[in-house]
Amino acid sequence: MCGIVGYIGKKKQAAPILLEGLEKLEYRGYDSAGIAVINNGEINFAKAKGRLRVLSEKTNGGKDLIGCAGIGHTRWATHGEPSDINSHPHLSQSGRFAVVHNGIIENYMELKEKLIRKGFEFISETDTEVIAHLFEYYYKGDIMDTMIKVIDRVEGSYALGVLCSDYPDSFIAVRKASPMIIGIGNDENFVASDVTAILKHTRQVCYVEDNEIVVLTADDVKIYNTDKEELEKEIKTIDWDVSAAEKGGYEHFMIKEIEEQPKAIRATISPRIKDGKIVLDDVSLTKDDIKNLRKIFIVACGSAYHVGVVGKYVIEKMCRIPVECVIASEFRYSDPIVSKNDLVIVISQSGETADSLEALKVAKNRGARVLSIVNVVGSAIANASDDVIYTWAGPEIAVATTKAYSTQLTVMYLLSIYMAEKISTITSGQYKKYLEDLEKLPDLVAKTLENKEQIAYLASKFYNCHSIFFIGRNLDYAVSLEGSLKLKEISYIHSEAYAAGELKHGTISLIEDGTLVVALATVDDLFEKTVSNIKEVTTRGAVVMGLTTEDRSMTGIADYTIQIPNTNDIFLPSLTVIPLQLFGYYVAANKGCDIDKPRNLAKSVTVE
Ligand code: F6R
């Protein structure tokens, strides 16, 4: 969703740095952009609907906006259509303040009405303009006091960057339930929605908590609480390689990230298996805690939810504890029956997804213990959880997740085996075998990726389809959900995933001559059952692309067969998903779609 970059330095011009930083945040999704720069106490700005290229052309690559401090923003429209006027930064009536904002101000109507009564005129339809005018309304000469008043009045989520013409050598920022990090450089400092925007300039970062106010100058960063007490914050070093956030010769981030999966899975597993044992240093659940669990909930959105669907099968099979996997936006408003004997597992790549974060709070308020599986270190969901297991996927830039999904799945396996061993629902022999197989997974994923040519060929045959169905049973059904989402989100082809046995209860009426059905039949003891379901659709004219393990044949059953290496059933989803990711990718490439930035989508969904 929206992206923020703020810069202050001594010699370098801010605008080109802001534009470059915003470019790195493009993947979050946006429909307009803007920057404001302060020079000799005067704020100048430029905004443009559309891609950053338009803003760059409008400002001559930023050269037309002079000044060493500024703020920039990419906007993903919520309140008001994408337009120049609705783009950020928003200026207060006198032009003294310029504001960029991520998030949503929930009480903006009430504040707007009040400000209108006080004589303020609004020119945009946004909630953010309220903040710019509020700054002016409360300002009595001290920017910090004003910030404290403003955040006391607004309700909702925000990451704010604010320039004030009375403070030409600093700018101020704050966050609540919306991502923001601080970058500390030499004679220059930054704020940004995430580290990819500033990685080129510095690796020293500081994570800001809710309602901490940051004052940045070229040579200093100070962070205060709302009582104006200065806070000591830890500075962390980001060890991501800059190239991790660059395309590095690949045509799209998505294919690069698909290829990175063996490495990411290995990085997630390796440090956690020591001397033949799973070591989860960050998990404080004891044997008794696990034994006493009444129920486990897995709560997440989108692909992360699909990991949860796999997780339900795996945890129940291994630990014999009942698991319910719930979409976060449903969980939070369902008055869930969750209490202190329950474990709630929240899965999120970004760690900022608004619905997942709110679901987490609901669970905590009801006394449940929360364990999160998160990729972005120091993110809101990680901070709010009792225990966190980080996925070591590195930065994921393509909107459609691939390596984050795979590493989340890996953590799910680690956690399930870990818990099962603790409560002795698996034998020591099974435990040993699971670990051996798990450690082989990165190589098997690499082997599965070798089959790219066949998938590219199949994609070139089917990219003109209007509708594609994915079917499977149990774990294959769980992966079907992800395969279908991958395809539709980037290729814009209608697609549905169905439990194979459920098709005949209605959906089969959509099958006609030539409809493509991707049938997943990897789970050993369900193979024959799925074959029966394949027959039901071929009889009605469907063309079937079957996906099974290398030791099985689908000749005479499916029109085309994709084979994956064999492994323990529970780890198969990690392999099954690979051809489906590639299929979605190549279909979208054949159609000429904007693969890394699909229409209407955002990487980090910070609104509910
Ligand atoms: C799909 C995709 C989304 C995310 C979902 C949750 O490819 O990426 O469905 O999985 O928006 O995001 P996180 O994991 O950041 O909470």
PDB file of all heavy atoms in Angstrom, residues 300-306 346-354 356 373 381 396 398-402 404-405 408 482 485-486 489-490 601-605, ligand 1:
ATOM      1  N   ALA A 300      -4.751 -15.660   9.270  1.00  0.00           N
ATOM      2  CA  ALA A 300      -3.916 -14.983   8.273  1.00  0.00           C
ATOM      3  C   ALA A 300      -4.784 -14.546   7.091  1.00  0.00           C
ATOM      4  O   ALA A 300      -5.995 -14.809   7.075  1.00  0.00           O
ATOM      5  CB  ALA A 300      -2.816 -15.929   7.795  1.00  0.00           C
ATOM      6  N   CYS A 301      -4.163 -13.901   6.121  1.00  0.00           N
ATOM      7  CA  CYS A 301      -4.874 -13.459   4.915  1.00  0.00           C
ATOM      8  C   CYS A 301      -4.178 -14.023   3.670  1.00  0.00           C
ATOM      9  O   CYS A 301      -2.960 -14.213   3.664  1.00  0.00           O
ATOM     10  CB  CYS A 301      -4.827 -11.934   4.785  1.00  0.00           C
ATOM     11  SG  CYS A 301      -5.446 -11.053   6.204  1.00  0.00           S
ATOM     12  N   GLY A 302      -4.947 -14.182   2.615  1.00  0.00           N
ATOM     13  CA  GLY A 302      -4.397 -14.507   1.290  1.00  0.00           C
ATOM     14  C   GLY A 302      -3.532 -15.755   1.307  1.00  0.00           C
ATOM     15  O   GLY A 302      -3.887 -16.805   1.851  1.00  0.00           O
ATOM     16  N   SER A 303      -2.349 -15.638   0.708  1.00  0.00           N
ATOM     17  CA  SER A 303      -1.446 -16.792   0.611  1.00  0.00           C
ATOM     18  C   SER A 303      -1.022 -17.281   1.990  1.00  0.00           C
ATOM     19  O   SER A 303      -0.814 -18.489   2.191  1.00  0.00           O
ATOM     20  CB  SER A 303      -0.195 -16.423  -0.185  1.00  0.00           C
ATOM     21  OG  SER A 303      -0.545 -16.150  -1.502  1.00  0.00           O
ATOM     22  N   ALA A 304      -0.865 -16.358   2.922  1.00  0.00           N
ATOM     23  CA  ALA A 304      -0.466 -16.760   4.276  1.00  0.00           C
ATOM     24  C   ALA A 304      -1.568 -17.641   4.886  1.00  0.00           C
ATOM     25  O   ALA A 304      -1.288 -18.604   5.605  1.00  0.00           O
ATOM     26  CB  ALA A 304      -0.210 -15.523   5.127  1.00  0.00           C
ATOM     27  N   TYR A 305      -2.814 -17.310   4.552  1.00  0.00           N
ATOM     28  CA  TYR A 305      -3.940 -18.161   4.993  1.00  0.00           C
ATOM     29  C   TYR A 305      -3.813 -19.556   4.358  1.00  0.00           C
ATOM     30  O   TYR A 305      -4.066 -20.577   5.001  1.00  0.00           O
ATOM     31  CB  TYR A 305      -5.262 -17.486   4.621  1.00  0.00           C
ATOM     32  CG  TYR A 305      -6.463 -18.396   4.721  1.00  0.00           C
ATOM     33  CD1 TYR A 305      -7.029 -18.704   5.947  1.00  0.00           C
ATOM     34  CD2 TYR A 305      -7.011 -18.962   3.575  1.00  0.00           C
ATOM     35  CE1 TYR A 305      -8.122 -19.562   6.038  1.00  0.00           C
ATOM     36  CE2 TYR A 305      -8.097 -19.821   3.653  1.00  0.00           C
ATOM     37  CZ  TYR A 305      -8.653 -20.121   4.887  1.00  0.00           C
ATOM     38  OH  TYR A 305      -9.726 -20.974   4.971  1.00  0.00           O
ATOM     39  N   HIS A 306      -3.404 -19.584   3.092  1.00  0.00           N
ATOM     40  CA  HIS A 306      -3.253 -20.891   2.427  1.00  0.00           C
ATOM     41  C   HIS A 306      -2.182 -21.748   3.103  1.00  0.00           C
ATOM     42  O   HIS A 306      -2.284 -22.964   3.138  1.00  0.00           O
ATOM     43  CB  HIS A 306      -2.917 -20.697   0.934  1.00  0.00           C
ATOM     44  CG  HIS A 306      -4.019 -20.000   0.193  1.00  0.00           C
ATOM     45  ND1 HIS A 306      -3.836 -19.356  -0.998  1.00  0.00           N
ATOM     46  CD2 HIS A 306      -5.339 -19.847   0.512  1.00  0.00           C
ATOM     47  CE1 HIS A 306      -4.989 -18.843  -1.397  1.00  0.00           C
ATOM     48  NE2 HIS A 306      -5.911 -19.126  -0.493  1.00  0.00           N
ATOM     49  N   VAL A 346      -0.371 -16.557  14.039  1.00  0.00           N
ATOM     50  CA  VAL A 346      -0.637 -15.534  13.022  1.00  0.00           C
ATOM     51  C   VAL A 346       0.494 -15.618  11.992  1.00  0.00           C
ATOM     52  O   VAL A 346       1.667 -15.609  12.359  1.00  0.00           O
ATOM     53  CB  VAL A 346      -0.677 -14.124  13.654  1.00  0.00           C
ATOM     54  CG1 VAL A 346      -0.922 -13.053  12.593  1.00  0.00           C
ATOM     55  CG2 VAL A 346      -1.758 -14.055  14.727  1.00  0.00           C
ATOM     56  N   ILE A 347       0.111 -15.714  10.717  1.00  0.00           N
ATOM     57  CA  ILE A 347       1.141 -15.817   9.672  1.00  0.00           C
ATOM     58  C   ILE A 347       1.096 -14.558   8.810  1.00  0.00           C
ATOM     59  O   ILE A 347       0.026 -14.162   8.338  1.00  0.00           O
ATOM     60  CB  ILE A 347       0.904 -17.051   8.767  1.00  0.00           C
ATOM     61  CG1 ILE A 347       0.696 -18.314   9.613  1.00  0.00           C
ATOM     62  CG2 ILE A 347       2.070 -17.245   7.803  1.00  0.00           C
ATOM     63  CD1 ILE A 347       0.347 -19.554   8.791  1.00  0.00           C
ATOM     64  N   SER A 348       2.247 -13.933   8.609  1.00  0.00           N
ATOM     65  CA  SER A 348       2.267 -12.724   7.781  1.00  0.00           C
ATOM     66  C   SER A 348       3.673 -12.442   7.258  1.00  0.00           C
ATOM     67  O   SER A 348       4.623 -12.392   8.037  1.00  0.00           O
ATOM     68  CB  SER A 348       1.788 -11.526   8.613  1.00  0.00           C
ATOM     69  OG  SER A 348       1.895 -10.339   7.865  1.00  0.00           O
ATOM     70  N   GLN A 349       3.793 -12.266   5.962  1.00  0.00           N
ATOM     71  CA  GLN A 349       5.083 -11.883   5.381  1.00  0.00           C
ATOM     72  C   GLN A 349       5.478 -10.500   5.874  1.00  0.00           C
ATOM     73  O   GLN A 349       6.540 -10.321   6.450  1.00  0.00           O
ATOM     74  CB  GLN A 349       4.972 -11.894   3.846  1.00  0.00           C
ATOM     75  CG  GLN A 349       6.270 -11.674   3.080  1.00  0.00           C
ATOM     76  CD  GLN A 349       6.754 -10.240   3.033  1.00  0.00           C
ATOM     77  OE1 GLN A 349       7.934  -9.983   3.334  1.00  0.00           O
ATOM     78  NE2 GLN A 349       5.914  -9.288   2.718  1.00  0.00           N
ATOM     79  N   SER A 350       4.599  -9.535   5.644  1.00  0.00           N
ATOM     80  CA  SER A 350       4.930  -8.128   5.939  1.00  0.00           C
ATOM     81  C   SER A 350       4.948  -7.846   7.435  1.00  0.00           C
ATOM     82  O   SER A 350       5.642  -6.947   7.895  1.00  0.00           O
ATOM     83  CB  SER A 350       3.897  -7.217   5.284  1.00  0.00           C
ATOM     84  OG  SER A 350       2.615  -7.491   5.823  1.00  0.00           O
ATOM     85  N   GLY A 351       4.133  -8.599   8.184  1.00  0.00           N
ATOM     86  CA  GLY A 351       3.986  -8.314   9.608  1.00  0.00           C
ATOM     87  C   GLY A 351       3.189  -7.050   9.858  1.00  0.00           C
ATOM     88  O   GLY A 351       3.136  -6.541  10.983  1.00  0.00           O
ATOM     89  N   GLU A 352       2.560  -6.510   8.827  1.00  0.00           N
ATOM     90  CA  GLU A 352       1.830  -5.251   8.965  1.00  0.00           C
ATOM     91  C   GLU A 352       0.379  -5.373   8.529  1.00  0.00           C
ATOM     92  O   GLU A 352      -0.358  -4.378   8.584  1.00  0.00           O
ATOM     93  CB  GLU A 352       2.485  -4.144   8.109  1.00  0.00           C
ATOM     94  CG  GLU A 352       3.944  -3.870   8.401  1.00  0.00           C
ATOM     95  CD  GLU A 352       4.171  -3.183   9.744  1.00  0.00           C
ATOM     96  OE1 GLU A 352       3.198  -2.709  10.343  1.00  0.00           O
ATOM     97  OE2 GLU A 352       5.332  -3.162  10.186  1.00  0.00           O
ATOM     98  N   THR A 353      -0.038  -6.516   8.022  1.00  0.00           N
ATOM     99  CA  THR A 353      -1.392  -6.644   7.478  1.00  0.00           C
ATOM    100  C   THR A 353      -2.424  -6.288   8.551  1.00  0.00           C
ATOM    101  O   THR A 353      -2.474  -6.911   9.625  1.00  0.00           O
ATOM    102  CB  THR A 353      -1.604  -8.087   6.965  1.00  0.00           C
ATOM    103  OG1 THR A 353      -0.601  -8.333   5.993  1.00  0.00           O
ATOM    104  CG2 THR A 353      -2.970  -8.273   6.361  1.00  0.00           C
ATOM    105  N   ALA A 354      -3.246  -5.274   8.238  1.00  0.00           N
ATOM    106  CA  ALA A 354      -4.128  -4.702   9.255  1.00  0.00           C
ATOM    107  C   ALA A 354      -5.068  -5.748   9.850  1.00  0.00           C
ATOM    108  O   ALA A 354      -5.237  -5.819  11.079  1.00  0.00           O
ATOM    109  CB  ALA A 354      -4.922  -3.551   8.648  1.00  0.00           C
ATOM    110  N   SER A 356      -4.762  -9.000  10.030  1.00  0.00           N
ATOM    111  CA  SER A 356      -4.051 -10.005  10.840  1.00  0.00           C
ATOM    112  C   SER A 356      -3.641  -9.398  12.178  1.00  0.00           C
ATOM    113  O   SER A 356      -3.734 -10.046  13.225  1.00  0.00           O
ATOM    114  CB  SER A 356      -2.823 -10.517  10.083  1.00  0.00           C
ATOM    115  OG  SER A 356      -3.213 -11.014   8.830  1.00  0.00           O
ATOM    116  N   ILE A 373       4.392 -16.059  12.696  1.00  0.00           N
ATOM    117  CA  ILE A 373       5.378 -16.475  11.694  1.00  0.00           C
ATOM    118  C   ILE A 373       5.482 -15.301  10.725  1.00  0.00           C
ATOM    119  O   ILE A 373       4.534 -15.009   9.999  1.00  0.00           O
ATOM    120  CB  ILE A 373       4.913 -17.763  10.975  1.00  0.00           C
ATOM    121  CG1 ILE A 373       4.735 -18.906  11.989  1.00  0.00           C
ATOM    122  CG2 ILE A 373       5.885 -18.147   9.868  1.00  0.00           C
ATOM    123  CD1 ILE A 373       4.131 -20.182  11.414  1.00  0.00           C
ATOM    124  N   ILE A 381       3.252  -7.018  13.786  1.00  0.00           N
ATOM    125  CA  ILE A 381       2.744  -8.324  14.227  1.00  0.00           C
ATOM    126  C   ILE A 381       3.808  -9.050  15.050  1.00  0.00           C
ATOM    127  O   ILE A 381       3.509  -9.640  16.092  1.00  0.00           O
ATOM    128  CB  ILE A 381       2.273  -9.157  13.010  1.00  0.00           C
ATOM    129  CG1 ILE A 381       0.987  -8.522  12.462  1.00  0.00           C
ATOM    130  CG2 ILE A 381       2.064 -10.629  13.362  1.00  0.00           C
ATOM    131  CD1 ILE A 381       0.453  -9.119  11.193  1.00  0.00           C
ATOM    132  N   GLU A 396      10.927  -9.550  -0.032  1.00  0.00           N
ATOM    133  CA  GLU A 396      10.086 -10.038  -1.132  1.00  0.00           C
ATOM    134  C   GLU A 396       9.450  -8.817  -1.787  1.00  0.00           C
ATOM    135  O   GLU A 396       8.717  -8.064  -1.153  1.00  0.00           O
ATOM    136  CB  GLU A 396       9.007 -11.000  -0.606  1.00  0.00           C
ATOM    137  CG  GLU A 396       8.309 -11.713  -1.743  1.00  0.00           C
ATOM    138  CD  GLU A 396       7.284 -12.724  -1.246  1.00  0.00           C
ATOM    139  OE1 GLU A 396       6.308 -12.313  -0.587  1.00  0.00           O
ATOM    140  OE2 GLU A 396       7.456 -13.925  -1.512  1.00  0.00           O
ATOM    141  N   ALA A 398       8.077  -8.753  -5.349  1.00  0.00           N
ATOM    142  CA  ALA A 398       6.908  -9.007  -6.201  1.00  0.00           C
ATOM    143  C   ALA A 398       5.665  -9.037  -5.319  1.00  0.00           C
ATOM    144  O   ALA A 398       5.697  -9.583  -4.211  1.00  0.00           O
ATOM    145  CB  ALA A 398       7.065 -10.339  -6.924  1.00  0.00           C
ATOM    146  N   VAL A 399       4.585  -8.458  -5.824  1.00  0.00           N
ATOM    147  CA  VAL A 399       3.353  -8.439  -5.026  1.00  0.00           C
ATOM    148  C   VAL A 399       2.876  -9.874  -4.763  1.00  0.00           C
ATOM    149  O   VAL A 399       2.471 -10.208  -3.650  1.00  0.00           O
ATOM    150  CB  VAL A 399       2.273  -7.591  -5.734  1.00  0.00           C
ATOM    151  CG1 VAL A 399       0.898  -7.854  -5.140  1.00  0.00           C
ATOM    152  CG2 VAL A 399       2.619  -6.111  -5.605  1.00  0.00           C
ATOM    153  N   ALA A 400       2.944 -10.716  -5.777  1.00  0.00           N
ATOM    154  CA  ALA A 400       2.506 -12.107  -5.591  1.00  0.00           C
ATOM    155  C   ALA A 400       3.586 -12.855  -4.810  1.00  0.00           C
ATOM    156  O   ALA A 400       4.719 -12.989  -5.265  1.00  0.00           O
ATOM    157  CB  ALA A 400       2.278 -12.769  -6.944  1.00  0.00           C
ATOM    158  N   THR A 401       3.223 -13.358  -3.668  1.00  0.00           N
ATOM    159  CA  THR A 401       4.230 -14.001  -2.821  1.00  0.00           C
ATOM    160  C   THR A 401       4.601 -15.386  -3.341  1.00  0.00           C
ATOM    161  O   THR A 401       3.759 -16.128  -3.846  1.00  0.00           O
ATOM    162  CB  THR A 401       3.724 -14.107  -1.369  1.00  0.00           C
ATOM    163  OG1 THR A 401       4.758 -14.685  -0.580  1.00  0.00           O
ATOM    164  CG2 THR A 401       2.481 -14.982  -1.252  1.00  0.00           C
ATOM    165  N   THR A 402       5.854 -15.728  -3.210  1.00  0.00           N
ATOM    166  CA  THR A 402       6.321 -17.072  -3.569  1.00  0.00           C
ATOM    167  C   THR A 402       7.271 -17.578  -2.478  1.00  0.00           C
ATOM    168  O   THR A 402       6.960 -18.508  -1.758  1.00  0.00           O
ATOM    169  CB  THR A 402       7.034 -17.068  -4.944  1.00  0.00           C
ATOM    170  OG1 THR A 402       8.053 -16.065  -4.947  1.00  0.00           O
ATOM    171  CG2 THR A 402       6.059 -16.843  -6.069  1.00  0.00           C
ATOM    172  N   ALA A 404       8.075 -16.186   0.306  1.00  0.00           N
ATOM    173  CA  ALA A 404       7.539 -16.013   1.665  1.00  0.00           C
ATOM    174  C   ALA A 404       6.594 -17.168   1.975  1.00  0.00           C
ATOM    175  O   ALA A 404       6.646 -17.765   3.052  1.00  0.00           O
ATOM    176  CB  ALA A 404       6.839 -14.677   1.815  1.00  0.00           C
ATOM    177  N   TYR A 405       5.731 -17.506   0.996  1.00  0.00           N
ATOM    178  CA  TYR A 405       4.825 -18.645   1.171  1.00  0.00           C
ATOM    179  C   TYR A 405       5.630 -19.904   1.507  1.00  0.00           C
ATOM    180  O   TYR A 405       5.321 -20.626   2.461  1.00  0.00           O
ATOM    181  CB  TYR A 405       4.014 -18.849  -0.126  1.00  0.00           C
ATOM    182  CG  TYR A 405       3.186 -20.114  -0.169  1.00  0.00           C
ATOM    183  CD1 TYR A 405       1.858 -20.124   0.244  1.00  0.00           C
ATOM    184  CD2 TYR A 405       3.733 -21.319  -0.636  1.00  0.00           C
ATOM    185  CE1 TYR A 405       1.103 -21.295   0.210  1.00  0.00           C
ATOM    186  CE2 TYR A 405       2.983 -22.487  -0.670  1.00  0.00           C
ATOM    187  CZ  TYR A 405       1.666 -22.468  -0.250  1.00  0.00           C
ATOM    188  OH  TYR A 405       0.920 -23.620  -0.285  1.00  0.00           O
ATOM    189  N   GLN A 408       7.172 -19.803   4.956  1.00  0.00           N
ATOM    190  CA  GLN A 408       6.128 -19.934   5.995  1.00  0.00           C
ATOM    191  C   GLN A 408       5.753 -21.405   6.161  1.00  0.00           C
ATOM    192  O   GLN A 408       5.589 -21.911   7.277  1.00  0.00           O
ATOM    193  CB  GLN A 408       4.892 -19.114   5.604  1.00  0.00           C
ATOM    194  CG  GLN A 408       5.088 -17.613   5.728  1.00  0.00           C
ATOM    195  CD  GLN A 408       4.042 -16.816   4.951  1.00  0.00           C
ATOM    196  OE1 GLN A 408       3.193 -17.377   4.269  1.00  0.00           O
ATOM    197  NE2 GLN A 408       4.105 -15.493   5.055  1.00  0.00           N
ATOM    198  N   GLU A 482      -3.656 -22.040  -3.342  1.00  0.00           N
ATOM    199  CA  GLU A 482      -2.546 -21.131  -3.641  1.00  0.00           C
ATOM    200  C   GLU A 482      -2.279 -21.050  -5.152  1.00  0.00           C
ATOM    201  O   GLU A 482      -2.038 -19.973  -5.701  1.00  0.00           O
ATOM    202  CB  GLU A 482      -1.293 -21.587  -2.867  1.00  0.00           C
ATOM    203  CG  GLU A 482      -0.057 -20.754  -3.087  1.00  0.00           C
ATOM    204  CD  GLU A 482      -0.189 -19.286  -2.696  1.00  0.00           C
ATOM    205  OE1 GLU A 482      -1.223 -18.883  -2.145  1.00  0.00           O
ATOM    206  OE2 GLU A 482       0.758 -18.539  -2.982  1.00  0.00           O
ATOM    207  N   LEU A 485      -4.882 -18.818  -6.683  1.00  0.00           N
ATOM    208  CA  LEU A 485      -4.665 -17.401  -6.358  1.00  0.00           C
ATOM    209  C   LEU A 485      -3.500 -16.840  -7.168  1.00  0.00           C
ATOM    210  O   LEU A 485      -3.578 -15.741  -7.729  1.00  0.00           O
ATOM    211  CB  LEU A 485      -4.405 -17.229  -4.855  1.00  0.00           C
ATOM    212  CG  LEU A 485      -4.088 -15.798  -4.405  1.00  0.00           C
ATOM    213  CD1 LEU A 485      -5.246 -14.849  -4.710  1.00  0.00           C
ATOM    214  CD2 LEU A 485      -3.765 -15.739  -2.917  1.00  0.00           C
ATOM    215  N   LYS A 486      -2.410 -17.603  -7.236  1.00  0.00           N
ATOM    216  CA  LYS A 486      -1.234 -17.141  -7.986  1.00  0.00           C
ATOM    217  C   LYS A 486      -1.631 -16.801  -9.411  1.00  0.00           C
ATOM    218  O   LYS A 486      -1.276 -15.763  -9.940  1.00  0.00           O
ATOM    219  CB  LYS A 486      -0.189 -18.242  -8.024  1.00  0.00           C
ATOM    220  CG  LYS A 486       1.069 -18.310  -7.305  1.00  0.00           C
ATOM    221  CD  LYS A 486       1.691 -17.315  -6.457  1.00  0.00           C
ATOM    222  CE  LYS A 486       0.914 -16.316  -5.743  1.00  0.00           C
ATOM    223  NZ  LYS A 486       1.151 -16.138  -4.337  1.00  0.00           N
ATOM    224  N   GLU A 489      -4.271 -13.682  -9.649  1.00  0.00           N
ATOM    225  CA  GLU A 489      -3.844 -12.343  -9.238  1.00  0.00           C
ATOM    226  C   GLU A 489      -2.892 -11.696 -10.236  1.00  0.00           C
ATOM    227  O   GLU A 489      -2.880 -10.483 -10.379  1.00  0.00           O
ATOM    228  CB  GLU A 489      -3.246 -12.342  -7.829  1.00  0.00           C
ATOM    229  CG  GLU A 489      -1.936 -13.054  -7.676  1.00  0.00           C
ATOM    230  CD  GLU A 489      -1.425 -13.041  -6.235  1.00  0.00           C
ATOM    231  OE1 GLU A 489      -1.691 -12.093  -5.502  1.00  0.00           O
ATOM    232  OE2 GLU A 489      -0.740 -14.013  -5.867  1.00  0.00           O
ATOM    233  N   ILE A 490      -2.118 -12.508 -10.954  1.00  0.00           N
ATOM    234  CA  ILE A 490      -1.169 -11.866 -11.876  1.00  0.00           C
ATOM    235  C   ILE A 490      -1.567 -11.975 -13.346  1.00  0.00           C
ATOM    236  O   ILE A 490      -1.105 -11.199 -14.170  1.00  0.00           O
ATOM    237  CB  ILE A 490       0.271 -12.397 -11.692  1.00  0.00           C
ATOM    238  CG1 ILE A 490       0.335 -13.905 -11.844  1.00  0.00           C
ATOM    239  CG2 ILE A 490       0.850 -11.947 -10.368  1.00  0.00           C
ATOM    240  CD1 ILE A 490       1.761 -14.444 -11.889  1.00  0.00           C
ATOM    241  N   LEU A 601      -3.669  -4.289  -6.781  1.00  0.00           N
ATOM    242  CA  LEU A 601      -3.121  -4.992  -5.616  1.00  0.00           C
ATOM    243  C   LEU A 601      -2.016  -4.193  -4.935  1.00  0.00           C
ATOM    244  O   LEU A 601      -1.366  -3.367  -5.547  1.00  0.00           O
ATOM    245  CB  LEU A 601      -2.558  -6.354  -6.029  1.00  0.00           C
ATOM    246  CG  LEU A 601      -3.579  -7.382  -6.496  1.00  0.00           C
ATOM    247  CD1 LEU A 601      -2.891  -8.685  -6.842  1.00  0.00           C
ATOM    248  CD2 LEU A 601      -4.616  -7.628  -5.419  1.00  0.00           C
ATOM    249  N   ALA A 602      -1.830  -4.487  -3.664  1.00  0.00           N
ATOM    250  CA  ALA A 602      -0.768  -3.854  -2.897  1.00  0.00           C
ATOM    251  C   ALA A 602      -0.016  -4.945  -2.153  1.00  0.00           C
ATOM    252  O   ALA A 602      -0.584  -5.977  -1.814  1.00  0.00           O
ATOM    253  CB  ALA A 602      -1.357  -2.868  -1.908  1.00  0.00           C
ATOM    254  N   LYS A 603       1.253  -4.723  -1.892  1.00  0.00           N
ATOM    255  CA  LYS A 603       2.062  -5.749  -1.230  1.00  0.00           C
ATOM    256  C   LYS A 603       1.728  -5.855   0.247  1.00  0.00           C
ATOM    257  O   LYS A 603       1.637  -6.934   0.804  1.00  0.00           O
ATOM    258  CB  LYS A 603       3.546  -5.414  -1.423  1.00  0.00           C
ATOM    259  CG  LYS A 603       4.501  -6.426  -0.822  1.00  0.00           C
ATOM    260  CD  LYS A 603       4.481  -7.726  -1.593  1.00  0.00           C
ATOM    261  CE  LYS A 603       5.402  -8.781  -0.999  1.00  0.00           C
ATOM    262  NZ  LYS A 603       5.037 -10.113  -1.506  1.00  0.00           N
ATOM    263  N   SER A 604       1.598  -4.692   0.862  1.00  0.00           N
ATOM    264  CA  SER A 604       1.390  -4.715   2.297  1.00  0.00           C
ATOM    265  C   SER A 604       0.034  -4.055   2.555  1.00  0.00           C
ATOM    266  O   SER A 604      -0.132  -2.874   2.280  1.00  0.00           O
ATOM    267  CB  SER A 604       2.549  -3.940   2.920  1.00  0.00           C
ATOM    268  OG  SER A 604       2.352  -3.781   4.260  1.00  0.00           O
ATOM    269  N   VAL A 605      -0.939  -4.841   3.014  1.00  0.00           N
ATOM    270  CA  VAL A 605      -2.315  -4.333   3.060  1.00  0.00           C
ATOM    271  C   VAL A 605      -2.600  -3.780   4.459  1.00  0.00           C
ATOM    272  O   VAL A 605      -3.010  -4.505   5.357  1.00  0.00           O
ATOM    273  CB  VAL A 605      -3.322  -5.428   2.644  1.00  0.00           C
ATOM    274  CG1 VAL A 605      -4.728  -4.864   2.593  1.00  0.00           C
ATOM    275  CG2 VAL A 605      -2.946  -5.982   1.279  1.00  0.00           C
TER     276      VAL A 605
HETATM  277  C1  F6R B   1      -0.761 -13.187  -2.655  1.00  0.00           C
HETATM  278  C2  F6R B   1      -0.305 -12.392  -1.535  1.00  0.00           C
HETATM  279  C3  F6R B   1      -1.288 -11.981  -0.519  1.00  0.00           C
HETATM  280  C4  F6R B   1      -0.669 -11.988   0.885  1.00  0.00           C
HETATM  281  C5  F6R B   1      -1.669 -11.393   1.896  1.00  0.00           C
HETATM  282  C6  F6R B   1      -1.114 -11.404   3.302  1.00  0.00           C
HETATM  283  O1  F6R B   1       0.278 -13.500  -3.530  1.00  0.00           O
HETATM  284  O2  F6R B   1       0.843 -12.038  -1.448  1.00  0.00           O
HETATM  285  O3  F6R B   1      -2.431 -12.783  -0.565  1.00  0.00           O
HETATM  286  O4  F6R B   1      -0.331 -13.291   1.227  1.00  0.00           O
HETATM  287  O5  F6R B   1      -1.982 -10.079   1.536  1.00  0.00           O
HETATM  288  O6  F6R B   1       0.019 -10.611   3.398  1.00  0.00           O
HETATM  289  P1  F6R B   1       1.017 -10.773   4.608  1.00  0.00           P
HETATM  290  O7  F6R B   1       1.633 -12.118   4.498  1.00  0.00           O
HETATM  291  O8  F6R B   1       2.020  -9.664   4.430  1.00  0.00           O
HETATM  292  O9  F6R B   1       0.212 -10.626   5.867  1.00  0.00           O
END
